[in-house]
Amino acid sequence: MVIAADPLPRATARPPRAPMVRHLGPHWYATVMGTAIVATAGAALPHDLPGLGTVRVAVWALSLALLTAVLAARALHWAHHRDQARAHLLDPATAPFYGCLSMALTAVGGGAVTVGRDWIGLRAALVLDSVLFTAGAVTGLAAAVAVPYLMSVREGIRWDDVTPVWLLPVVAPMVSAALGPLLVPHLPPGGPRKALLFACVAMFGASLVATLLMLPLVFARLLTGGPLPLARTPALFLVLGPLGQSTTAVGNFADVAPGAVPSPYSEGFGVLAVLYGVPVMGFALLWLVLATAHVLRARRLGMGFAMTWWAFTFPVGTCVTGAQALARHTGLAVYHGLAVGLYVVLVAAWGVVAAHTARGLLSGELLAAPRPAPAAPPRATGRTTSDAVR
């Protein structure tokens, strides 16, 4: 006779570790980018008010602290919530935000040389920037390839899914291209300087062509599909990113070219800074007005705070640095005035968005699971009206 053994006791299910970071996505790197650009864009202004330098250093230090905190939180996310991390990577609405990691690294690194050097010293600033720039350039190029690939092989992406967020991974190399020249004068003369400058130019070209392929999709979606859902409307400001950052990049190329490449190439970079930057900045201002009109409309229809509001910061900051680059290379005071005006907008936007983010973080709302979107009302036409998205 065989006596059945008692069944083994079932293992007690353990609560998941680090539950607070389960829904913390890569979009949180936008807080780092938006904070760092307040410091670096302020350093590019023509006038330095008393005490402004200290404030810039404090803001850059805050961006460094935010970068450290978000990197640690994202590491916990991948360590304990890999299912959610993989879901983010395969989600066409979330995957593009992986480009923000690169931009956060390079933005804080560039700020170390332009602003942080007043606090930590030039030597430490160069070491920090070298590490962050290298990591940012590598991750940016990886995101620019991996994210579009994953989206291209995924089934079920619809025309309505197209948003300016899709620009994020392909713009990441442009941020590296714009901030890389800060390291060029600190390299040995000759080959090292030329190699880094041309590497930045190559990243500029790769990002520019990819952006030119993506922008028509965004604009066509806006015209044929109607306004974006309310919570996603601020993402229209993301289009300013590649415009302002590319203008900044060509201006920075022209600044360092005389010490890196011989004539006539050094003079050619100066010509490029003007012939490219002036028309692109003109289009950036046109898009700024268009995006603002859409945001005002969405606000009237009840648009509440969402993390997409961080799109009001970094892209506008790139236009500040782009306008200041044009001021240097054209000698026109109007670009100085434009840079100052846009910087005022940037600081005001950062203050509002940072306050809302801190409030949502303390309440736990921004770290909670996303609420399911309500059922869309029936549409009388093929154009979208509005959706309520957290």
Side-chain angles (χ1 to χ4, degrees):
M1 182 175 63
V2 178
I3 299 175
D6 292 334
L8 294 174
R10 294 183 179 179
T12 303
R14 292 183 302 175
R17 296 182 179 180
M20 291 294 291
V21 301
R22 175 166 178 77
H23 301 286
L24 189 142
H27 59 279
W28 277 89
Y29 288 113
T31 64
V32 181
M33 299 158 52
T35 302
I37 198 69
V38 173
T40 54
L45 295 179
H47 306 292
D48 200 356
L49 299 177
L52 185 58
T54 303
V55 173
R56 287 197 301 261
V57 172
V59 173
W60 176 79
L62 175 60
S63 72
L64 179 61
L66 286 173
L67 176 63
T68 304
V70 177
L71 284 173
R74 288 289 297 162
L76 288 174
H77 177 83
W78 270 96
H80 299 298
H81 305 286
R82 292 186 181 180
D83 60 327
Q84 189 72 3
R86 293 191 186 97
H88 285 166
L89 196 56
L90 297 176
D91 183 358
T94 306
F97 284 100
Y98 274 87
C100 292
L101 167 59
S102 165
M103 293 185 278
L105 293 169
T106 50
V108 174
V113 173
T114 57
V115 178
R117 60 189 294 176
D118 296 336
W119 176 38
I120 62 176
L122 178 59
R123 185 179 182 83
L126 289 173
V127 171
L128 180 59
D129 188 19
S130 299
V131 172
L132 294 180
F133 169 76
T134 302
V138 171
T139 55
L141 291 171
V145 175
V147 173
Y149 170 77
L150 291 174
M151 293 176 65
S152 66
V153 298
R154 181 176 175 81
E155 297 180 0
I157 296 181
R158 303 170 301 168
W159 181 243
D160 286 345
D161 294 329
V162 178
T163 72
V165 169
W166 287 16
L167 289 167
L168 290 174
V170 300
V171 172
M174 185 66 76
V175 180
S176 299
L179 296 176
L182 296 176
L183 292 170
V184 169
H186 302 284
L187 293 176
R193 292 186 182 183
K194 183 185 298 185
L196 179 56
L197 176 59
F198 284 170
C200 291
V201 174
M203 288 188 288
F204 166 86
S207 180
L208 179 62
V209 174
T211 299
L212 292 177
L213 293 175
M214 198 72 72
L215 274 179
L217 293 178
V218 174
F219 194 52
R221 157 64 181 85
L222 195 62
L223 293 181
T224 62
L228 297 179
L230 297 184
R232 297 181 183 179
T233 301
L236 289 171
F237 274 70
L238 294 176
V239 175
L240 297 176
L243 304 176
Q245 200 66 279
S246 61
T247 303
T248 303
V250 293
N252 289 346
F253 295 161
D255 291 339
V256 302
V261 293
S263 179
Y265 301 108
S266 56
E267 289 85 356
F269 278 111
V271 174
L272 177 65
V274 176
L275 295 186
Y276 175 88
V278 171
V280 170
M281 184 57 65
F283 179 68
L285 295 177
L286 184 149
W287 189 271
L288 175 62
V289 175
L290 176 64
T292 300
H294 273 269
V295 168
L296 292 177
R297 171 191 173 277
R299 190 65 174 163
R300 289 196 305 269
L301 294 177
M303 179 188 73
F305 174 74
M307 288 296 286
T308 50
W309 282 32
W310 281 97
F312 299 143
T313 57
F314 190 80
V316 174
T318 66
C319 291
V320 175
T321 56
Q324 189 54 33
L326 286 175
R328 292 195 306 271
H329 293 286
T330 63
L332 295 176
V334 66
Y335 286 114
H336 285 299
L338 177 61
V340 172
L342 289 175
Y343 188 71
V344 171
V345 173
L346 168 63
V347 172
W350 180 84
V352 172
V353 177
H356 278 286
T357 302
R359 189 179 301 118
L361 192 60
L362 292 174
S363 68
E365 182 181 358
L366 292 179
L367 296 177
R371 293 191 298 267
R379 295 180 294 180
T381 69
R383 296 178 65 84
T384 304
T385 52
S386 66
D387 286 322
V389 180
R390 187 176 73 87

